[in-house]
Amino acid sequence: MEIVVCVKQVPDTTEVKIDPVTNTLIRQGVPSIVNPFDKNALEAALQLKEKHGGKVTVITMGPPQAKDALKECLAMGADDAVLLSDRAFGGADTLATSHTLAAGIKKIGNIDIILCGKQAIDGDTAQVGPEIAEHLAIPQVTYVSKIEADGNKLRVEREQEEGYEVIEVSTPVMLTVVKSINDPRTPTVKGTMKANRREIPVWTVNDVSVEVEKIGLKGSPTQVRKIFTPKQRTQGEIIQADTARAAAAQLIQKLSDAKIV
């Protein structure tokens, strides 16, 4: 079973700053981590490999520092890793990103299952996984909470608001997983040391078959018209009184004075 897991390195903070000119995230100087949902996807891949055999490859698109995220995935147990990195890929929206990742997956070749986290915590769009499936013309199932494999058939549970939808699908297939599917393992010291010695191959725009007009900022149809940080709300007043009746009387008086009631 050949499995590819798409991962993303995301900012490890809520204090994200925005470039006022390009309206894109400023990542320099911000600590980064592997997107948590992508760790669930990797754990699902590793469990499938342990049960059915095969190989797990992780792939990401990003700057050179994204190698750190890939090495963490190798430390968890992934067999191989690939970084798609080129200035031509920069500034990509979800459509351009998925086009590049799909090209990288095609280069890897002979894939049975592609796994992604349901979304990235920085953009929260949940679009890249399904768009990769469209580029590759393969079926997709999103919000997967359980995977059972039998040859080239998968039986998966898809999480919904009021229950689960059970779907049977043939490989190759794209699956995006939810947090409840598993608890990702912690890399071992031995695995981390081994991963740190690995050389991560870097594929540029010249190494994958992409349409140049469909990658990077130029190939991104999404236009951000305006972006801003909402104003922080002022702290409300806490009414203190000896009894609930007295507190209610104070509240009514304050609402009356403010002409709310």
Side-chain angles (χ1 to χ4, degrees), residues 24 61 87-93 96-97 215-218 220:
T24 57
M61 186 191 85
R87 286 193 175 275
F89 300 147
D93 67 359
T97 297
I215 63 172
L217 190 60
K218 185 183 296 185
S220 301

Side-chain angles (χ1 to χ4, degrees), residues 70-83:
L70 293 175
K71 287 189 175 184
E72 183 176 350
C73 294
L74 289 171
M76 287 178 64
D79 299 293
D80 280 324
V82 174
L83 172 61

Side-chain angles (χ1 to χ4, degrees), residues 181-204:
I181 193 171
N182 55 45
D183 293 314
R185 66 194 68 187
T186 301
T188 63
V189 174
K190 183 178 179 180
T192 300
M193 293 176 64
K194 185 178 178 181
N196 286 336
R197 293 193 296 267
R198 291 281 297 271
E199 288 294 327
I200 306 294
V202 179
W203 293 349
T204 68

Side-chain angles (χ1 to χ4, degrees), residues 41-104:
L42 177 56
E43 178 62 32
L46 295 174
Q47 290 181 12
L48 285 169
K49 185 187 99 168
E50 290 166 354
K51 188 173 182 179
H52 303 282
K55 179 180 178 182
V56 174
T57 302
V58 288
I59 187 170
T60 191
M61 186 191 85
Q65 70 188 46
K67 285 184 179 181
D68 295 336
L70 293 175
K71 287 189 175 184
E72 183 176 350
C73 294
L74 289 171
M76 287 178 64
D79 299 293
D80 280 324
V82 174
L83 172 61
L84 296 166
S85 187
D86 195 301
R87 286 193 175 275
F89 300 147
D93 67 359
T94 59
L95 186 61
T97 297
S98 62
H99 178 73
T100 303
L101 286 170

Side-chain angles (χ1 to χ4, degrees), residues 99-159:
H99 178 73
T100 303
L101 286 170
I105 293 169
K106 283 182 181 179
K107 182 177 174 69
I108 295 171
N110 299 318
I111 303 304
D112 298 302
I113 303 173
I114 304 169
L115 284 163
C116 295
K118 71 165 186 174
Q119 64 196 64
I121 61 172
D122 56 354
D124 288 322
T125 64
Q127 294 174 351
V128 171
E131 287 174 349
I132 290 173
E134 288 297 310
H135 289 305
L136 298 176
I138 61 174
Q140 58 176 287
V141 185
T142 56
Y143 301 102
V144 172
S145 58
K146 185 177 180 180
I147 307 171
E148 295 178 350
D150 183 11
N152 70 335
K153 297 283 187 181
L154 297 182
R155 185 180 177 87
V156 303
E157 288 187 3
R158 184 174 187 268
E159 190 177 79

